[in-house]
Amino acid sequence: MTTVSATADESTAALEVDDLHVTFTTDEGDVPAVRGVRLAVARGRVLALVGESGSGKSVTAMSVLGLLPRNARTSGRVSVGGTDVVGLTGEDLRRVRGARVGMVFQEPATALNPSMTVGAQVAEALRNHGTAKDVAAARAVELLTEVGIPDAAARAGRYPHEFSGGQRQRVVIAIAIACEPEVIIADEPTTALDVTVQAEILDLLRRLVQERGAALFLITHNMGVVADIADDVAVMYQGRVVEQGPVQQVLTAPSDDYTARLLAAVPELPRLADEPAAADEVAPADGDALRLEGVCVDYGRGRRAFRAVTDVDLVVGAREIVGVVGESGSGKSTLARAAVGLVPIAAGSASVLGSALTGHGRRARLLRARIGIVFQDPAGSLDPRMTVGESVAEPFRMHPDAAGRPNRAERRTRVTALLDAVRLPGGTLDRYPHELSGGQRQRVALARALALRPGLLIADEPTSALDVSVQQQVLDVLREVHTEFGFGCLFISHDLAVVHEIADRVAVMRGGVIVEHGSADRVLGAPREPYSRALVAAAPSLDPVEQRRRRELRLTAL
């Protein structure tokens, strides 16, 4: 692997990282996290640093702000506008944070103080660097307006929980730019946002770089985001930069094998057609795993009732995968929960494998045993006190009749076979969830969902926040077990490219209603409805040229 020259002339760089090494001291010995990294980004430019989890991306970013833990040893030079920040402490370091370098964190819900109004938090960033209280309060409203918060003067007095995820991220950006920093560091700023909100946040960051002339140092694992916003890109692997250069060059003609493998793992949407295609046949070829007819779901009662899903008709064939896409709050997850009886249906009907999912008798229990569910966050759905083997075997204990009442030896044999089916080694059996990677935990969750050979699998954002290569592994496993077990699958995701790769048919939801439905190729390549077209146009493409075209189409539609 060969490291090439930095992406900006060192004499004009707002941020320069030169031969950076970071090593963590642990009970097991020294662990090198960053090895000889050299990067530079000029004002008015965007440098994206990409790589898988554990590659050293965030450690490199945290080095710029001196935010590494005490067991970190750092050497090399990190220069902000000519000032070396390595080794700075106390007041010297505080003068750099916020004033010269602004930080946009991955999760705004944890970056913002829930007990302070958003206006006070933006003003605090100014007051920390000497701005008078009344001036800071007025400037906070101006900054909230600049980042796109509607009615900022009134909403400055509200708390973070009263804002959507995308709006909270805008507040974090307002805090980051409050003191006119030379460098903005954005660490995974669009993770877990739906494609339209992600596109809006990227538009905002792009505008701020252009108008303010700041340097943007973007940390991400989303290669589509890189194609959308970056001028230059650097690829990290095992603590080293293995390739860097102009975004067009790296994404379309990578010189390093690791970069090529990383790009090959990224699912891509087809080129967005200039014109909508004719509607296509949507009926499944075989029997039904799931049938929804006129389904409505309400939250709350009386005057406070809110209709989250309205008059939805949807069929999932016995051996097909149907994707459901849409923005956050469109009703995707509510629909999935209603389909399997986790939330009540206010009107309409739902049947699983030809039978209504009602009652609590033996028949209803046996029917429920034929439904498998994989949730978004396996860390939250796996009991940390149970081994992998115990978690995967849990359905055998919960539904002994459906499992055929296997004894302990039979359960272990079945669990081993299930782990093998999802590409996990037998040694995983006696480990605990915290000892596994995110992708491995998701495969454990899939193995557990398959334990009773379900006729219907619900997969709700099963690849969200996974690295692209791990995401690809999970999708490959899902395809393999789908072929082997032959279940129908309702696949919920905000990642349109993932849905295109895995699904036979796609339903697009907006405001609790299915606005378009058809084959994956047609709906995600040549959508008919304006909303669907805007949604697809907001999904980033790996090809920078196609991405610019998508951005223009989306902005034109707006």
Side-chain angles (χ1 to χ4, degrees):
M1 298 178 181
T2 304
T3 303
V4 298
S5 61
T7 55
D9 186 330
E10 294 178 7
S11 64
T12 63
L15 172 65
E16 181 191 349
V17 179
D18 185 20
D19 195 29
L20 178 67
H21 292 260
V22 180
T23 301
F24 292 102
T25 302
T26 71
D27 292 339
E28 288 75 33
D30 289 348
V31 178
V34 175
R35 313 180 191 199
V37 166
R38 185 170 181 268
L39 302 165
V41 54
R43 292 185 70 107
R45 301 278 292 180
V46 179
L47 170 65
L49 184 61
V50 302
E52 298 172 285
S53 297
S55 63
K57 307 187 303 297
S58 292
V59 172
T60 300
M62 294 302 103
S63 299
V64 178
L65 287 168
L67 292 176
L68 295 175
R70 292 184 178 180
N71 66 329
R73 297 198 316 272
T74 304
S75 65
R77 188 167 66 93
V78 178
S79 173
V80 177
T83 301
D84 188 1
V85 300
V86 173
L88 290 184
T89 58
E91 189 59 36
D92 291 334
L93 189 55
R94 282 191 288 274
R95 277 195 289 266
V96 172
R97 294 173 179 164
R100 303 189 66 183
V101 181
M103 184 75 193
V104 180
F105 292 98
Q106 174 176 344
E107 180 46 69
T110 55
L112 295 172
N113 187 334
S115 64
M116 290 177 65
T117 65
V118 298
Q121 294 184 65
V122 178
E124 183 181 47
L126 292 159
R127 296 186 65 194
N128 286 341
H129 294 280
T131 304
K133 183 176 180 180
D134 56 343
V135 175
R139 180 61 181 145
V141 173
E142 293 174 0
L143 286 163
L144 290 172
T145 300
E146 185 176 352
V147 299
I149 298 297
D151 194 15
R155 302 197 72 188
R158 297 185 181 179
Y159 292 86
H161 73 272
E162 299 179 271
F163 292 77
S164 68
Q167 288 174 330
R168 285 195 292 264
Q169 192 62 288
R170 290 173 184 270
V171 173
V172 171
I173 292 172
I175 294 171
I177 66 172
C179 295
E180 304 281 345
E182 301 159 55
V183 178
I184 301 171
I185 299 175
D187 190 1
E188 301 281 7
T190 61
T191 294
L193 297 179
D194 60 54
V195 290
T196 51
V197 177
Q198 172 180 275
E200 291 168 1
I201 295 298
L202 293 178
D203 286 344
L204 172 59
L205 289 171
R206 183 184 298 106
R207 177 172 59 80
L208 291 172
V209 169
Q210 292 170 349
E211 293 179 355
R212 291 171 170 255
L216 177 60
F217 186 31
L218 174 69
I219 315 300
T220 185
H221 68 264
N222 189 324
M223 304 300 282
V225 167
V226 174
D228 190 6
I229 194 173
D231 300 301
D232 307 288
V233 57
V235 182
M236 285 194 77
Y237 178 65
Q238 294 184 347
R240 292 187 171 90
V241 173
V242 297
E243 181 169 2
Q244 61 178 306
V247 65
Q248 178 80 29
Q249 172 190 314
V250 174
L251 295 190
T252 59
S255 60
D256 185 82
D257 289 343
Y258 172 74
T259 307
R261 292 196 304 272
L262 197 65
L263 293 171
V266 180
E268 268 278 71
L269 285 172
R271 184 180 187 275
L272 181 58
D274 293 325
E275 298 293 335
D280 51 6
E281 178 61 45
V282 298
D286 45 20
D288 301 345
L290 173 68
R291 179 173 289 272
L292 306 177
E293 296 181 329
V295 167
C296 299
V297 178
D298 294 340
Y299 287 125
R301 295 181 179 179
R303 293 181 179 178
R304 295 187 177 183
F306 167 72
R307 178 141 289 184
V309 171
T310 304
D311 199 25
V312 165
D313 295 325
L314 185 66
V315 176
V316 178
R319 299 184 66 89
E320 73 168 347
I321 299 177
V322 175
V324 180
V325 301
E327 298 172 288
S328 297
S330 62
K332 306 186 301 294
S333 293
T334 296
L335 182 66
R337 294 187 178 99
V340 295
L342 293 179
V343 296
I345 294 175
S349 63
S351 62
V352 175
L353 304 172
S355 299
L357 196 63
T358 57
H360 301 282
R362 183 174 184 274
R363 178 178 169 279
R365 289 196 300 272
L366 288 173
L367 184 58
R368 288 189 175 92
R370 298 212 59 203
I371 302 171
I373 304 178
V374 180
F375 294 102
Q376 176 176 344
D377 182 9
S381 60
L382 296 175
D383 190 329
R385 300 165 298 178
M386 296 172 65
T387 66
V388 166
E390 290 169 339
S391 289
V392 176
E394 189 174 26
F396 301 145
R397 298 191 298 273
M398 299 294 293
H399 299 281
D401 291 342
R405 299 188 178 276
N407 58 35
R408 180 177 297 180
E410 290 170 336
R411 287 199 299 268
R412 191 173 182 88
T413 298
R414 288 197 198 179
V415 168
T416 301
L418 285 163
L419 293 178
D420 183 63
V422 297
R423 296 189 195 170
L424 287 174
T428 310
L429 196 74
D430 298 314
R431 297 171 69 184
Y432 288 87
H434 73 272
E435 299 179 284
L436 305 179
S437 68
Q440 288 173 324
R441 285 194 294 266
Q442 195 60 291
R443 281 182 274 171
V444 171
L446 179 56
R448 183 176 63 180
L450 297 174
L452 300 177
R453 301 192 71 89
L456 173 66
L457 181 73
I458 305 292
D460 191 358
E461 299 280 7
T463 63
S464 178
L466 296 179
D467 291 328
V468 289
S469 59
V470 178
Q471 173 183 271
Q472 191 61 54
Q473 292 168 13
V474 172
L475 292 176
D476 288 344
V477 167
L478 182 56
R479 269 191 294 264
E480 289 174 8
V481 295
H482 177 251
T483 299
E484 178 182 350
F485 288 73
F487 48 79
C489 178
L490 188 65
F491 190 96
I492 313 294
S493 182
H494 68 266
D495 191 324
L496 304 190
V498 165
V499 172
H500 179 263
E501 180 160 327
I502 197 74
D504 302 301
R505 293 186 291 117
V506 173
V508 180
M509 290 195 73
R510 183 187 191 189
V513 176
I514 291 180
V515 298
E516 185 158 2
H517 184 199
S519 70
D521 284 339
R522 204 275 302 163
V523 172
L524 299 179
R528 294 181 56 79
E529 294 296 320
Y531 172 75
S532 304
R533 190 167 181 81
L535 193 70
V536 174
S541 169
L542 264 183
D543 181 350
V545 174
E546 171 64 9
Q547 178 53 32
R548 283 194 294 273
R549 176 177 169 269
R550 284 175 177 270
R551 189 188 314 140
E552 291 167 0
L553 288 171
R554 180 176 61 83
L555 294 175
T556 300
L558 294 177

